[in-house]
Structure formats: C-alpha cells, structure tokens
Amino acid sequence: MTITILGTGYVGLTTAVLFTHAGHTVYAIEPNKERLDIIKSGRSFFYEKGIDELVSSALETGRFFPTDSYDESVEQSEVVISCVGTPDNPDGSSNLTYIYAAARDAIARLRDGAIFVQKSTVPVGTGEKLKKIIATSGKNIPYVSNPEFLSESTAVADSLFYDRLVVGGDDGDALRTILDLYKTIEDKRNDMAAIAGITPLDKPMRHITTTLNSAELIKVSANSLLALKISYANSIAKLADKAGADIKEVMDAVGADERIGKHFLNAGRGYGGGCFPKDVSGLIASGLEYGVDLEIMQAAQSLNESMAGYIVEKMQDAMHGSLQSKKVAVLGLSFKANTSDTRRSPGIKIANMLCKAGADVSVYDPKAIEEAEPELHRRARIADSTEDCITDADAVLVATNWQEFLEYEPRLLAEKMRSDLFIDAINGYNVTDIEAAGLRYIGVGRNGEKAGEEN
Ligand code: UDX
C-alpha cells in the first residue's frame, strides 16, 4: 500500500517507519525544515530507543519518503494517517488548529475511496465534525479513528507489542482494511524489534472495533484513568505522611489486588508530559461542552498541580523554613526517564519554584538539557554532569527516574555534598541505603514514622 503519515512526532515517525518495514511505501510529512533534514539524514529529532536505527534502515529500503509536501504524497496514497500535534489552549481544551488544517489539506488532495485515519488524540465528537468536512468535498473518503496508546521512551516497543488495537468508524470495509494493515506490522514485528534492539514480547493483542465516538473516548478515558490512579496514590501519600504510613508499602499491597493492578500507583512529584495533563484537561473541557461536570478529573488535576509545591514545602521545613541562598541540586528535567521531552516537566517546575524561593539552584539531565533550557528562564545553573550538579549542594532533589541517578552511589553523593538533605521526589530510593550514607531522606508519603511520632 501507499501511505502518507501527517506529522513526524513520537507517534507519526514511529508509525511511518514501522509501516515502511512492514513492506509499504510511506510518505511522512514534516513541515519544519530543520526536523525534516534530520529525518532525511537517517535520524530522529527526538530521543527514543531504537528509532534512529529504524529511520536509517527505512531510508535504505527506498520506500520511505520524508517530505514537506502534501502534493504527490497524499494524491498517491490509499491511506492517510493523521498524527499531528494537539496542544492545549490556555483554558485546557484541545487546540485543534493543526488537526483541521492537516485534514483539510489532505482531503483536498485525496482520491475517492482513500481512507483517512485519525491517530492524533482528539476530543470526542471531532471525527463527526471532520466527516462533515469530507462530505462537503463531495468525495467518498471513509474516516477511521485509530487512537494511539504508545508511551514515550517505549514508543517502538509499544507500537510493535501492544495490548489492544482500536479502530472506530461506521465503514466496515475501511475498518477491516486498517486492521489488515496493522497485521502487516504484526507479521514482521520480531524483525523490526531486532533492528531497534528491542526484546520481543510474546503477548496477546486484542483487535477492538467500535463506533467513532467510542474510539475517541477510549483514548482520553484510558489516559485519564491512569492519571487518576497517580493522583489517587499522591493523595494517599499526603495522608501517609501525616498518619505514619509508608506509601510504597501501602500501594504495593493495594496493587496486588488484580482488580486494581499495580501500575501507575507510584506516588511522587506527579505526572507531566505531553499527554496526561492535556488529556485530563481535554476530558474536563469535553465534559463541559456536553454539560457534564467531571469533578473527579478536576480533583485529579488540582491534586497533581499541588505536588511540586508540596515537595518544595517539605524541603523548606527540613531546611528550617528558608531556602534563601541554599545550594540545591535538581536531578532530572525530562518528564520521565529515557526521553528528552520536557513538556510539563515536574523537575523544571520544581527547579523554577526553588529559584523563586531564593535557592541557588543547579540542574542536570542526561538528555533533556537543550529542551529544558528555555523553560528554566536562565535562573538555574545548568550542570555538565550529575557530579557537577551535586557538588557542594545543601540538598539534592531527584525528579526523574533516570537509571544513572538511581544507580549513583549514596556514599559518593554524601561525600560530594556540603550538607545532608536528600529529596526523593520519585520515591525511587531505598530509605535505609540513603540514611546509611549519612543523608536525611525525604520522600513523598514515606516520612510517616516521623510524623507518627510527633502526633
Ligand atoms: C502516556 C500513556 O501511558 C500512553 O499510553 C499514552 O499513549 C500517552 O500518555 P507518557 O506520557 O509517554 O504516556 O508517559 P507515562 O509513562 O504514562 O508517564 C506519564 C507521567 O506520569 C510521567 O511524568 C511519569 O513520571 C508519571 N507517573 C507514571 C507517575 O508519577 N507515577 C506512576 O505510577 C506512573
């Protein structure tokens, strides 16, 4: 088949190279010249495990064409897959400017019978609106919603070994065509995993066919439920701090109940990234549009927003009320490990709050410095390494679960620091190990014993 992918972000570029390796001819449209040149040179412009190898080998097949032009690419295609970005508006609703612009540009060029697939996350009801635009074009272009569930840092693995594939729409033939298209990836997934250096997984993959509106709602509901789980864990963590319990022990046992599940119950500095904050606010906005008050998601959102301040306050208390001129090292600026993405990064939010409170802040991240720099407002010192960042610090705060931070020897840390406060904002460390190195440990929901003694 000939396929055009609109947008080359985490979802678009990954999808494009996988379909190329599955044997199709793929055009990938990227309007940004700098990014396009990087892809044409055989690399990705973002950091993601295995993607560079898949991009360079896709180019070698002679069937992968990164381009900035809708002409030719779209005109020749039997399937167009929209993977353009949906940033949020200041009011929290989704900004669909790129969605509509890309769809209009594609519909104008698509031939009769070609299928338009929406992979970008859009609010429920968007597909129906786009179908009206298709109808006014007078063309027969079936519209399929095919939400994406990949996580950054495991984008390739998630796109090869998924739990479920969802397609929604009202044209049965088009839905079958898209499911068959994905089967071509499934057939070659082990070969592609080998190129990407990813260990193959043997997991059952469910194919789910739904209505258009259901497919759109599945995506945001799934992400919002995961965000809700995190906020739930964080609210119990606040209680654990006061009541004298350890949130790790609590959630470990809570998650052992298969009905609940152990994932996304890790308390800490809260969720960030390009998806959860946006999908939660997008769902709230969708609710308002349809007259439904999603109070539960509003609570999840405000709890999440409170976490950075909660951690800074704990830090301030441990430093006898003031952070003025205290040397603080913040390790981790990406919103999670193994990505350079800094969108809604809790580490950056905390670093900026610490600067505002008068602390002398240094920051470090193994991959995200470049992306973080504009958001740091030049107030924090950017260190060259973990060691450089922590040297002479009064307090070290870890905000991202990068392996290199988790493996850093606590005794070495204690030697390099000038004082002894260790803030584990990801609840990733063993309290005993940190304390054995002579450091004072503060986690999120893990200082229960002390609070319990005071009560
Ligand atoms: C998420 C969804 O997982 C994915 O299915 C969807 O397609 C896109 O959105 P992503 O944003 O890449 O993926 O990252 P994810 O691993 O889900 O983490 C999101 C945020 O939640 C990160 O900041 C992470 O640190 C935080 N998190 C995650 C927690 O604070 N606690 C947890 O238990 C899990």
Side-chain angles (χ1 to χ4, degrees):
M1 269 198 175
T2 301
I3 303 168
T4 293
I5 310 285
L6 312 178
T8 63
Y10 288 90
V11 175
L13 188 58
T14 308
T15 309
V17 293
L18 296 193
F19 277 126
T20 307
H21 285 286
H24 306 283
T25 297
V26 179
Y27 293 91
I29 299 187
E30 174 51 65
N32 179 309
K33 188 169 174 339
E34 209 179 313
R35 290 179 169 188
L36 184 62
D37 286 344
I38 295 174
I39 298 170
K40 281 183 172 170
S41 77
R43 286 183 299 122
S44 160
F45 56 88
F46 50 83
Y47 173 75
E48 189 68 49
K49 185 174 167 45
I51 195 82
D52 285 353
E53 293 81 351
L54 286 164
V55 171
S56 62
S57 50
L59 286 170
E60 282 165 19
T61 66
R63 287 180 283 99
F64 176 50
F65 303 103
T67 173
D68 56 5
S69 166
Y70 278 68
D71 298 325
E72 288 179 30
S73 54
V74 175
E75 283 158 14
Q76 295 182 38
S77 295
E78 291 139 282
V79 174
V80 162
I81 306 179
S82 174
C83 302
V84 299
T86 47
D88 44 355
N89 287 317
D91 68 355
S93 62
S94 302
N95 180 338
L96 299 178
T97 315
Y98 302 125
I99 294 283
Y100 283 108
R104 283 204 169 89
D105 283 345
I107 292 162
R109 292 168 176 83
L110 269 172
R111 61 184 185 212
D112 230 40
I115 302 171
F116 188 96
V117 178
Q118 186 65 263
K119 220 166 168 51
S120 306
T121 303
V122 291
V124 59
T126 307
E128 294 294 351
K129 290 175 191 153
L130 285 167
K131 275 173 67 182
K132 286 190 185 132
I133 296 176
I134 293 174
T136 55
S137 76
K139 294 182 190 173
N140 167 32
I141 299 170
Y143 183 95
V144 173
S145 168
N146 166 223
E148 178 54 61
F149 300 103
L150 66 79
S151 296
E152 287 175 30
S153 79
T154 52
V156 175
D158 292 348
S159 304
L160 291 174
F161 307 99
Y162 33 81
D163 301 320
R164 79 296 215 196
L165 175 67
V166 175
V167 289
D170 51 18
D171 185 319
D173 289 341
L175 297 182
R176 270 186 295 281
T177 303
I178 300 306
L179 286 178
D180 287 345
L181 193 56
Y182 276 98
K183 281 189 195 134
T184 62
I185 290 184
E186 291 174 14
D187 289 345
K188 297 213 172 128
R189 61 184 183 164
N190 287 352
D191 299 344
M192 294 188 225
I195 297 171
I198 285 165
T199 313
L201 297 174
D202 187 18
K203 63 197 277 191
M205 311 204 318
R206 247 186 94 188
H207 288 181
I208 302 172
T209 304
T210 68
T211 64
L212 179 52
N213 286 351
S214 296
E216 288 174 342
L217 202 49
I218 286 166
K219 168 65 197 268
V220 277
S221 306
N223 272 2
S224 296
L225 183 56
L226 293 172
L228 191 60
K229 279 183 94 173
I230 299 169
S231 281
Y232 179 76
N234 278 330
S235 48
I236 303 296
K238 287 184 178 178
L239 177 59
D241 267 342
K242 293 274 183 232
D246 185 322
I247 191 68
K248 284 267 224 210
E249 289 178 352
V250 174
M251 286 306 156
D252 185 42
V254 168
D257 181 333
E258 279 185 9
R259 293 172 303 172
I260 296 169
K262 61 182 189 310
H263 300 291
F264 287 75
L265 288 176
N266 193 41
R269 74 311 192 246
Y271 56 78
C275 289
F276 285 179
K278 180 168 70 76
D279 290 348
V280 169
S281 62
L283 188 61
I284 294 168
S286 283
L288 292 175
E289 192 187 330
Y290 290 92
V292 178
D293 210 353
L294 291 168
E295 287 155 321
I296 191 164
M297 295 319 308
Q298 277 161 357
Q301 186 181 51
S302 54
L303 193 284
N304 193 58
E305 279 164 8
S306 77
M307 292 315 293
Y310 179 74
I311 291 166
V312 170
E313 257 172 48
K314 286 183 83 160
M315 200 165 173
Q316 212 151 356
D317 289 348
M319 293 185 122
H320 313 294
S322 174
L323 290 163
Q324 201 64 42
S325 307
K326 291 284 189 315
K327 281 193 75 154
V328 182
V330 175
L331 296 173
L333 302 171
S334 56
F335 80 97
K336 65 175 189 179
N338 304 320
T339 175
S340 56
D341 195 342
T342 57
R343 285 176 290 173
R344 305 284 173 110
S345 157
I348 294 178
K349 185 173 174 184
I350 291 172
N352 285 337
M353 278 180 147
L354 292 170
C355 287
K356 209 167 168 201
D360 174 3
V361 180
S362 58
V363 294
Y364 176 68
D365 189 284
K367 292 278 181 216
I369 297 283
E370 207 179 307
E371 288 186 36
E373 224 171 333
E375 295 174 63
L376 288 164
H377 314 305
R378 294 170 194 249
R379 284 180 298 193
R381 179 182 77 86
I382 294 171
D384 302 332
S385 62
T386 301
E387 191 172 319
D388 176 29
C389 191
I390 60 169
T391 299
D392 288 335
D394 294 305
V396 168
L397 182 147
V398 182
T400 309
N401 54 332
W402 282 103
Q403 206 56 31
E404 91 167 63
F405 301 152
L406 294 170
E407 282 170 359
Y408 204 89
E409 183 55 52
R411 274 183 208 287
L412 208 55
L413 191 70
E415 268 172 36
K416 301 272 172 211
M417 291 172 67
R418 73 176 182 199
S419 190
D420 63 353
L421 188 60
F422 182 80
I423 312 282
D424 178 7
I426 51 168
N427 281 0
Y429 292 81
N430 183 307
V431 183
T432 320
D433 291 350
I434 299 295
E435 289 182 346
L439 295 170
R440 278 189 295 154
Y441 177 93
I442 290 185
V444 180
R446 303 190 74 191
N447 299 301
E449 276 175 44
K450 283 176 205 141
E453 278 163 20
E454 280 163 22
N455 290 340

